[in-house]
Amino acid sequence: MNQSKGMGNILITCERKVENMEHYYQPEIECASREQILAWQNERLVKQVKHVYDNVPYYRKLMEEKGLTPADIQSVDDLHKLPFLTKDDLREAYPYGLVAVPLTDCVRIQSTSGTTGRRVVAFYTQHDLDLWEDCCARAIVAAGGTKDDVVHVSYGYGLFTGGPGLNGGSHRVGSLTLPMSSGNTDRQIQFMTDLGSTILCCTPSYAAYLAESIHEKGLQDQIKLKAGIFGAEAWTEEMRRDIEANLGIKAYDIYGLTEISGPGVSFECSAQSGMHINEDHFIAEIIDPNTGEVLPDGEKGELVFTSITKQAFPLLRYRTRDICVLTREKCPCGRTHVKMSKPMGRSDDMLIVKGVNVFPSQIETVLMNNGYAANYQIIVDRVNNSDTIEVQVEMTPEMFSDSLKEIAVKEKELVNALKAMLGIYAKVKLVAPKSITRSEGKAVRVIDKRKLY
Ligand code: DLL
């Protein structure tokens, strides 16, 4: 196992003696003392700012506009002086404007799904791929993965980072890797049973769909899964409980974004209470999304990342739009890296309905607490100059009824529960089981028709 890549000659210390059952891919990094982590960050930040200033004219101009030179950044304490980067910068600099090394040194491109506007393309040197795969390997080992596991990767392969990231991480751990990619659910289940997959990596919505299909086929007893590593989209604790119960596994969250490398920017440990950010590679800040002011730990705001080890596409103070909270309380797993909460939504995904902020995750929580599965869609519209919101949700087969009266009672119950959570009226329409299209990748939960006018 590779345990000290890229550490230079910096002294590595372990804060806790590792005597528990927790396993680590790079224990001396994952459990390093706070002083050690800060020392890595200070040294790497200073180098990275110089690298970007010298090699990325687009970013040098942004710094110059603020009257900054690399000499102004001596440590993490100076980070707040640097300008933010946003997705608009990435679009403006597309495709090569933020690449910091000669293209001949780049070996890979990955890209976002880019539903609106230009896609984001990210570049990697071999060094960048190595570090990214280390991050994914940390996530797999934290979920209990070893070289004895069969890691079933059902994230999409190709431009999307999910498949390649977890695939690389699984190789590093030495697990037997099944590069399934997404789709063809029957084949997924066949391989899972025939080859004895033990760790499933896919979006949580696809995990829920796979669980549903496995139960329909009556194959629960032939599934050997013990853990799942699910991310790339928002999912609630209620959905975690459902997936864990239906697949008989422990479900771990994993977070990341193409701009910063892909999956593995942060990952969950056995405590399942937030994701450790790989702080030896990424410095995290939380800011007020409206003012840009840096907020203290524990306050909710927009997550901002500075990548301090990437060579090809190093983004400084990149605004993710993801809303979450950072905590530095001691984690029982022994890891010392800061934890981020599950993203509570994206500042640009937040719906404003009748002037009220609504996050789709709030709706999911209500549905699941009332016995529904996560098969739903939220339709927002504007009728006679007034916003409307409708939640279409599938009845489970057990609650399915053709009595209109019974359905109306259930709908009313949900309307009341949603009103209590959101503070506004949302129409509820119960639909037949299996009538909402299942997702094989990131689920599309919200249709905002107001954007079409
Ligand atoms: O979704 C990378 C990824 C692949 C992460 C596989 C985890 C597993 P993008 O397509 O660039 O990259 O989308 C990034 O997805 O800014 C979040 O809004 C959202 N996201 C990613 N992971 C989570 C998660 C990949 N665990 C965007 N929970 C991010 C909630 C997530 N949202």
Side-chain angles (χ1 to χ4, degrees):
M1 225 183 261
N2 165 19
Q3 304 198 323
S4 59
K5 195 182 285 277
M7 289 299 102
N9 53 7
I10 299 170
L11 182 70
I12 293 169
T13 51
C14 245
E15 183 162 86
R16 278 174 58 148
K17 249 205 145 108
V18 179
E19 282 163 353
N20 54 14
M21 289 300 289
E22 189 83 23
H23 295 286
Y24 312 93
Y25 178 64
Q26 292 168 309
E28 71 280 34
I29 301 172
E30 295 174 59
C31 305
S33 68
R34 289 304 312 167
E35 298 73 45
Q36 180 63 82
I37 294 172
L38 193 60
W40 286 328
Q41 291 189 334
N42 284 335
E43 190 204 76
R44 291 169 187 188
L45 175 66
V46 169
K47 267 199 208 146
Q48 189 71 300
V49 170
K50 189 167 173 352
H51 171 57
V52 173
Y53 186 87
D54 288 348
N55 296 298
V56 183
Y58 186 97
Y59 199 78
R60 176 199 286 247
K61 189 163 159 267
L62 288 184
M63 279 181 66
E64 282 171 354
E65 279 166 9
K66 286 198 121 198
L68 292 171
T69 68
D72 293 304
I73 309 300
Q74 294 295 325
S75 73
V76 176
D77 289 342
D78 297 323
L79 187 61
H80 67 97
K81 296 180 186 165
L82 290 171
F84 291 118
L85 275 178
T86 65
K87 207 161 207 153
D88 286 343
D89 290 303
L90 268 59
R91 291 200 173 118
E92 206 178 315
Y94 174 91
Y96 298 123
L98 290 166
V99 181
V101 295
L103 276 185
T104 46
D105 291 348
C106 295
V107 296
R108 176 89 67 81
I109 287 176
Q110 302 285 166
S111 173
T112 57
S113 44
T115 42
T116 52
R118 280 173 174 166
R119 282 169 174 270
V120 167
V121 282
F123 297 77
Y124 305 74
T125 61
Q126 186 56 51
H127 157 95
D128 297 337
L129 289 180
D130 289 342
L131 299 183
W132 175 27
E133 291 181 355
D134 278 348
C135 290
C136 289
R138 291 180 195 174
I140 292 171
V141 173
T146 69
K147 63 184 184 46
D148 298 326
D149 279 293
V150 179
V151 176
H152 187 117
V153 185
S154 306
Y155 287 113
Y157 280 64
L159 286 171
F160 179 54
T161 52
L166 270 306
N167 193 91
S170 173
H171 276 230
R172 282 192 176 241
V173 175
S175 309
L176 181 56
T177 311
L178 261 171
M180 296 298 302
S181 198
S182 54
N184 201 337
T185 302
D186 285 346
R187 189 180 58 189
Q188 301 269 358
I189 296 172
Q190 169 128 38
F191 269 78
M192 209 176 264
T193 51
D194 290 353
L195 299 169
S197 307
T198 52
I199 297 183
L200 172 64
C201 306
C202 62
T203 57
S205 52
Y206 194 45
Y209 179 30
L210 280 167
E212 185 181 31
S213 306
I214 288 166
H215 279 261
E216 272 171 15
K217 290 175 191 291
L219 292 174
Q220 304 86 295
D221 295 345
Q222 292 182 46
I223 298 294
K224 298 206 172 56
L225 290 176
K226 64 177 188 187
I229 303 177
F230 306 132
E233 63 184 7
W235 54 311
T236 54
E237 284 303 328
E238 292 77 16
M239 193 163 170
R240 187 210 301 268
R241 279 205 296 276
D242 248 34
I243 296 173
E244 289 192 330
N246 291 339
L247 285 176
I249 61 172
K250 245 184 128 164
Y252 297 86
D253 204 349
I254 183 166
Y255 168 91
L257 59 165
T258 314
E259 296 91 315
I260 300 299
S261 67
V265 171
S266 66
F267 61 92
E268 246 179 6
C269 60
S270 57
Q272 290 180 303
S273 59
M275 295 174 272
H276 290 282
I277 295 172
N278 285 308
E279 286 188 281
D280 51 324
H281 298 306
F282 315 108
I283 303 178
E285 297 169 278
I286 292 286
I287 61 160
D288 178 323
N290 299 316
T291 63
E293 181 204 346
V294 179
L295 300 176
D297 288 346
E299 280 198 32
K300 185 163 95 178
E302 181 180 341
L303 187 57
V304 172
F305 281 115
T306 296
S307 47
I308 47 176
T309 47
K310 275 181 75 173
Q311 296 175 331
F313 200 67
L315 301 187
L316 307 183
R317 300 200 88 202
Y318 182 66
R319 291 184 61 160
T320 64
R321 299 280 164 198
D322 292 317
I323 303 293
C324 71
V325 173
L326 296 182
T327 46
R328 285 178 205 278
E329 276 157 32
K330 212 170 185 129
C331 184
C333 80
R335 289 179 184 79
T336 46
H337 293 224
V338 68
K339 286 207 289 201
M340 61 180 268
S341 64
K342 265 183 183 302
M344 297 154 186
R346 293 174 55 82
S347 56
D348 50 2
D349 268 4
M350 186 182 73
L351 295 163
I352 302 183
V353 183
K354 297 175 189 159
V356 173
N357 298 348
V358 173
F359 284 103
S361 59
Q362 295 175 299
I363 294 176
E364 185 174 300
T365 297
V366 170
L367 299 180
M368 302 206 65
N369 280 341
N370 282 274
Y372 295 83
N375 298 314
Y376 66 93
Q377 219 153 31
I378 302 164
I379 297 139
V380 185
D381 204 349
R382 183 162 295 138
V383 179
N384 297 332
N385 292 323
S386 176
D387 292 335
T388 60
I389 178 163
E390 175 175 309
V391 180
Q392 296 188 354
V393 56
E394 276 184 14
M395 286 174 274
T396 61
E398 302 77 53
M399 61 172 73
F400 184 58
S401 154
D402 41 20
S403 150
L404 291 180
K405 206 168 152 205
E406 262 180 50
I407 293 179
V409 170
K410 289 198 168 72
E411 286 177 342
K412 184 92 186 40
E413 276 167 14
L414 273 186
V415 167
N416 290 339
L418 286 167
K419 180 114 199 268
M421 170 69 99
L422 308 175
I424 52 167
Y425 168 75
K427 185 175 172 197
V428 170
K429 188 168 166 197
L430 292 184
V431 297
K434 308 223 75 166
S435 57
I436 290 178
T437 315
R438 301 292 185 266
S439 120
E440 294 170 348
K442 299 193 190 219
V444 179
R445 305 282 196 203
V446 180
I447 301 170
D448 193 342
K449 293 188 175 166
R450 297 172 302 184
K451 292 191 177 150
L452 305 175
Y453 300 138

